[in-house]
Amino acid sequence: MAATDLFTHSVGATSPAENAFAITPHDTNELTFVTRGLYLGVSGDVAMIFANDTDPVTFTNLMAGVVHPFRVKLVRATGTDADLGIIGVY
C-alpha cells in the first residue's frame, strides 16, 4: 500500500527536508546540493563552507544522532574527524 501524505506544503527554506544523501568530506569538491542540515553518525569536528561563503569554519564537538541546521556547500576533509556517516538533508 502506498504511503499517504496528509501534509502538503510548498517547498521553501523553512519546510522539512525531503531528501538526503551521503557526504564524503573533500577539501575542494562541492556537494551536489546545498544542505538544510547535516546528520552525523559519530560525534566530532566538522569543517565546512557555508552556502554563501568562501571561508571554511570548523565546528568542534558536534553531537552524533541529530540533524544540525547548517546550509553548507562543502564539507572539508581537513579538519573533519566526524567523517563516518555524514548525511546531508535538503
Side-chain angles (χ1 to χ4, degrees), residues 8-85:
T8 58
H9 60 276
S10 60
V11 177
T14 59
S15 60
E18 294 185 338
N19 295 289
F21 62 99
I23 294 176
T24 301
H26 192 277
D27 286 336
T28 58
N29 290 348
E30 289 192 6
L31 304 174
T32 304
F33 302 99
V34 171
T35 66
R36 291 183 190 199
L38 296 177
Y39 172 89
L40 303 181
V42 297
S43 297
D45 303 345
V46 179
M48 61 191 83
I49 297 178
F50 281 95
N52 62 352
D53 206 349
T54 56
D55 296 323
V57 61
T58 302
F59 284 81
T60 59
N61 300 316
L62 291 176
M63 184 171 44
V66 297
V67 176
H68 299 276
F70 299 130
R71 290 187 34 82
V72 301
K73 63 182 176 184
L74 189 143
V75 176
R76 292 175 44 107
T78 302
T80 297
D81 64 8
D83 55 356
L84 294 175

